[in-house]
Amino acid sequence: MALKDEVFGICQQLGPKGWTDLLKKVTNDQLNLDQVTADALEQNLLQPIAQLLPNATGFGDFSQTDPRGISPGNPAGSLLYHALCSPLVTAKADGSSFAGDEFASPEQLAAIENYIFALRNATLSQLRATWLGNRMAIVVFTSSYRPAGETVHRKHADLCFSRTGVGRVGTRAAKYDPVAREYTMVADGEPDACRVVPVRFSAWIAVKLQGAQGEFGPMRPQQEDQNREFWVPVHKLFDGDECLQGRTVKLDFKESHLNEKIRYLHEELLARSVTTGHSLGDLVNEPFTLQSDKIASIESASGLLTPIHHAALVDEASDAGGKVTYRVPRAGSYSLPGVDPLEIGTFFSSLEARVEGPGGLGSRPLPEYAHARTRIVNGQERDLNETRNVSSTVGSGRYQALHYLDFAGDGSVSVDPGSLATEFSTYSAYSLVSAPDFFPFVSQRELSDWPRGRDIKWNITPDVLCDTRLPANFRSHSKFEDEQTRDGQTLEDTITSIVSIPQDPKTQVTQVEDHQVARISTLPDGAAGVFAPGWDVSRDTTNGIDHLSAYGLGTPFPEDAKLCAALSSFWPAVAPDITRVYWPNAQESIAGQRTIVPLTDDEVGAIGGAQGWDGDQGPRLDPGNGTVTYKEIAYVDYVISSVDNKFDYSRLATLDSAQYKARITCLDAARQTYLGDVLRTEMLAVSPARRRATLLALIRTIDRRGRIDSALHNLIVDLLDAQTGQFALRPLFEVTFVQTLQRLGASQVQAMEFVQRLPIPLFDRVVSVNRTVTREELAAMALTYLFVSFRQIPENDPDYVAARNGDAPVADAISHRLVFVRPGRNQNVDVDVNGTMVPLHERVDIASASIFFSDGVNAWQG
């Protein structure tokens, strides 16, 4: 069927559902889908549109470059395409909303997109002449049509492209959300389930260009991008004889994915003569290496890559012989001549493995964290979470532990272009099948941009994958290296960047407002950048070349997800922030660790007997007895929770970027007020002698085991003591605590040694206390408060209104209640687990409690 006939059929189907009336209204009757023939429709679609109806909802960011119903070769200027693709267009001409079955399907949108390029009547000779002197190839991209504020150029709605697609694993089949024009991960009515998120890939004739921000991008340009080369799409390829004049195109998409996390855990141990219970020959088979049949499949004609959904996100590893185990190595350093040392230890109760190579901790040749808490004795499972000293047991090793596997991975998506293969080289896309996004409607890119100019201090900034400049995983997928070396090219480090179709730098800006839409992004600006070990992807070094990889992530991924969430949200993903759920006195606590994005008491299960989003219970505040009871983090097991489908994905999935940012601002406002109150009333009332005693107590706390060097102890005391004047807190703490100590005279080595011994949370940066304090006050702030309760309350809550003391109305306020406590003595609370007393909980006495209310901007003490 000719494309004009296919589009005619689409318009006949959708037009009567409200699209004909809407487009007639916004174009003052210039565009009318109600035509008798396909030829008549095509003629109407090709007519220039003189002017759109002002303030037409969803059309304000439509491009004014050659606007038509269909603008040949110009998706952004094609009004029919914009109306059906833009997530901002949801209302009919009469203001009512389109129903779910009244939107175009993904297949219909793809047909209209093909039609746009078919009407271009392009020939290969014309394309080559247009881009004479530039390398031209067939390149696989994933793309998304976005509102102006989410595009590369931020001038008008447009297609955005990347050579990296990010899908998500799940326990239910994929489902398209026609309103959002994207797939959703939410499984309505099943809070303990999540849907897989597919990625649609397509093939384009592309040219290789150096970065040009005004023409194609990339999005979020970096300093050296003008010297880097990017593949940029210029003409879409699709099946049939309408794509290129005089040619018949036939495309065949293929994929290849791997999950090699368990494999490389064993390989790195075996390379250092550490017995694991398996040989190298075992590792190429399941469950050590998972192939595509467990990870993802692709529709060869459409390019839709869909992750395979499984009954649970995590499963026990097994083969024909039964359950697959490994001998847990004892904590220590393992090295042999010719290989980098492998450091084995524990982080809380996770087995931690790090290779100390020339590049430091930047490379991950194996999973950094592995689950080791299901011990196998005579074929029987023993849950170490039900025993005392689970962390010590894991660290001692030398027992058989059950392997668990997940179904994430990475791979390539390639295309066979048929007869065009003799005229063009082809380049594959990089495909990530990553962990679920617990905040699917919170934009990683938007949050990365948002704090600029604000006083928010992330522990780890929300890095974005599209900012990463590294090649794809050529160690696992030789296709990437083969494609580059075939053409005499070096490995490309721009594969995760986002670009647009080239345009005139003078293109008119139609709308500059940001319109954030609650939908999932499968482009790399919706994924986390590379940090050790990462959330969506990790990194490794092969033959001296740094590259992306998925095998450096935790095995299985929930083992790492718990640690990311417990270490303050951005690590660096949009991860649930559960920092306040655990009493932060563990030796592994990180300096500066503080809650950034508070989850409510309901979401973390801190109310009544309810469980939280992760299937566990949050801290229990008992004001009557003056205590807070915490779950011991070493006994929290996200892997087992995933096997048993205990996660409640619905708890967090409703939050969008605006609500997420409101929580951050709300906590900051209350923290500022609280710290200011502490400094004014309590710290300033302490005598100089008491302040010195507080400082000495802090240093003793830092070195509870007496390991700090006495000379360093005296140096720190003398340095702080010698500064008798006052100093401004904010300028000093705009930098890390290490740099603060260096400013006071300590060397970098001394400062690092001092900070690394911190077993308590110390502010890495202090927010918005714009006054002067003494050094002793600064030291005392380390033990100032615990943040124990956060909940959203009705804006007419009487306590909240009273706290405002009759100030401005609260009708438009986002109101929350926050509780801070001064910590006192803490103690273990043993729990009877199968007849064994296990320290599953910890309890801390509270000296006092302070209640604050905040509307997200200001805070008032209640």
Side-chain angles (χ1 to χ4, degrees), residues 45-115:
L45 288 171
L46 289 173
Q47 292 299 312
I49 297 173
Q51 185 177 4
L52 291 181
L53 181 71
N55 302 318
T57 302
F59 294 89
D61 63 347
F62 176 62
S63 174
Q64 295 304 302
T65 301
D66 191 29
R68 304 168 187 261
I70 293 292
S71 180
N74 180 19
S78 301
L79 189 65
L80 174 62
Y81 183 72
H82 174 90
L84 296 179
C85 279
S86 174
L88 300 180
V89 181
T90 59
K92 298 182 179 182
D94 61 4
S96 62
S97 297
F98 284 101
D101 60 356
E102 294 177 328
F103 290 93
S105 67
E107 294 74 23
Q108 290 173 328
L109 295 176
I112 295 172
E113 188 173 287
N114 294 344
Y115 187 45

Side-chain angles (χ1 to χ4, degrees), residues 631-651:
K631 182 73 175 286
E632 168 57 56
I633 190 172
Y635 291 90
V636 175
D637 198 329
Y638 277 13
V639 171
I640 302 303
S641 294
S642 297
V643 171
D644 297 335
N645 286 321
K646 288 185 177 180
F647 283 90
D648 185 344
Y649 301 95
S650 66
R651 290 282 186 95

Side-chain angles (χ1 to χ4, degrees), residues 459-481:
N459 282 351
I460 297 295
T461 55
D463 299 330
V464 187
L465 183 56
C466 68
D467 295 347
T468 300
R469 297 292 183 261
L470 289 173
N473 180 9
F474 65 89
R475 178 185 182 187
S476 302
H477 309 283
S478 60
K479 180 178 289 293
F480 294 113
E481 187 171 19

Side-chain angles (χ1 to χ4, degrees), residues 32-43:
N32 185 359
L33 303 183
D34 186 15
Q35 302 292 332
V36 178
T37 66
D39 287 335
L41 175 64
E42 182 171 276
Q43 183 178 1

